[in-house]
Amino acid sequence: MTNSWATFGADLHIDPTGAAGLRAGLMDALREAARSGRLAPGTRLPSSRTLAADLGIARNTVADAYAELVAEGWLTARQGSGTRVAQRAEPRRPAPASPPSPPVRRGPVHSLMPGSPDLSTFPRADWLKAARRALTDAPNDAFGYGDPRGRIELRTALAGYLARARGVYADPERIVICSGFVHALMLMGKVLRQRRVREVAVESYGLDVHRNLLTDAGLRTPCLPLDGFGSRTGGLAALRGVGAVLMTPAHQFPTGVPLHPDRRAAAVDWARAAGGLILEDDYDGEFRYDRQPVGALQGLDPERVVYLGTASKSLAPGLRLGWMVLPRGLVGEVTGAKGMSDWMTGTPDQLTLAEFIRSGAYDRHVRAMRLRYRRRRDQLVAALAERAPGLRISGIAAGLHAVLELPEGTERSVIQAAAWQGLALEGLGRFRHPDAEPVGDALVISYGAPTDSAWAGALEALCRVLP
């Protein structure tokens, strides 16, 4: 068979023209590539046969050029290691002019900022096993341009898991895989605008990034008042322009209260009467510590609730895996919107998560993390009872964060004192809707994010700065 340049080893873009003779031109080009840093010290060069075939010149020409550059010290050649750019060939760059030194800012030593699980607990070994099994069994078409809804293997596995663990009515045909909650909300914002919805109600405390995504889609975001029973969903009927509402019913973020059953029913009644939609953010629904988790709101009316879930809290946000369980009439519109901007989510991780769920590894991991986070919360409660007995933790025993109520007017000073102690904290006020009434001073403390080795120090630093 005739040898082809496409069958050889590593590629090297080099232009040996511009000097008298091929060998001299090749040497000049290699010297300049090493001198300029385009070929970094230690870079392995193609064999003389490969480079000769690529350039269409005689192999002896390349071999002679390599030999001379080795003699000059630009390259090194060792048996079994090939020809490489020598370490001494690293370019000398002029030292940049020194700008004025900025003020030294010490980063936090500890962080109790909410929003992330303990990343050190990602189940690497079990995930790798699942990936091996999934990729070994994957059909060839799994690596092509597939269904924008996502791989059927993952949609089927999720349908079973969500029905069993969260009480979701989840037909695989109604599930769309996306790249996390933000991606799902962007898609819903686009679809709602196409449906001529003008306003999406949001909870009076929540993440501004979610409000901003809806605003960027051209939607206004009036807020629902919030109290100890969750959002006052009875007020939805008075918001005449609202066509949808974004909520965290199982564990309101950040206040930590579940939506009262009467208010869950009121939200569904509003959606049915007004033809509206409820966007249910079930961000940490698996993590309830004092009782069985409250089931998803979606189970009350699958045709009026869009269920949004992710692996960000249960596994890791870096996976960028989320899912939408849609009313039947929305599947085509959401799939079309997704196909226009992001045809499909990466297949290997979809297949791996499907196998991770099917094998039972997902359930085992969630149970293990539930125990870990419960211990952390118990330790937080015990430390506060001893060191700051006048302060109260509000909200239910659930999720990866707790709300610590503070004396009125002290939230900002506590956060500043914590910063001086090298502790990053977030106040409840950070999450308030601009039009909402304040509900009091408090800290939103993430006991889920620190690693085991950092948790004790972070907890001690917290206790030192509390009033």
Side-chain angles (χ1 to χ4, degrees), residues 44-70:
R44 183 168 182 167
L45 301 182
S47 68
S48 58
R49 182 170 74 93
T50 298
L51 187 57
D54 286 353
L55 298 176
I57 61 179
R59 181 180 180 183
N60 285 344
T61 301
V62 177
D64 290 346
Y66 276 3
E68 190 158 341
L69 290 173
V70 168

Side-chain angles (χ1 to χ4, degrees), residues 289-308:
Y289 311 125
D290 57 347
R291 49 162 288 181
Q292 184 177 0
V294 175
L297 182 65
Q298 190 261 8
L300 297 179
D301 193 337
E303 297 304 325
R304 285 294 158 199
V305 180
V306 177
Y307 178 87
L308 307 171

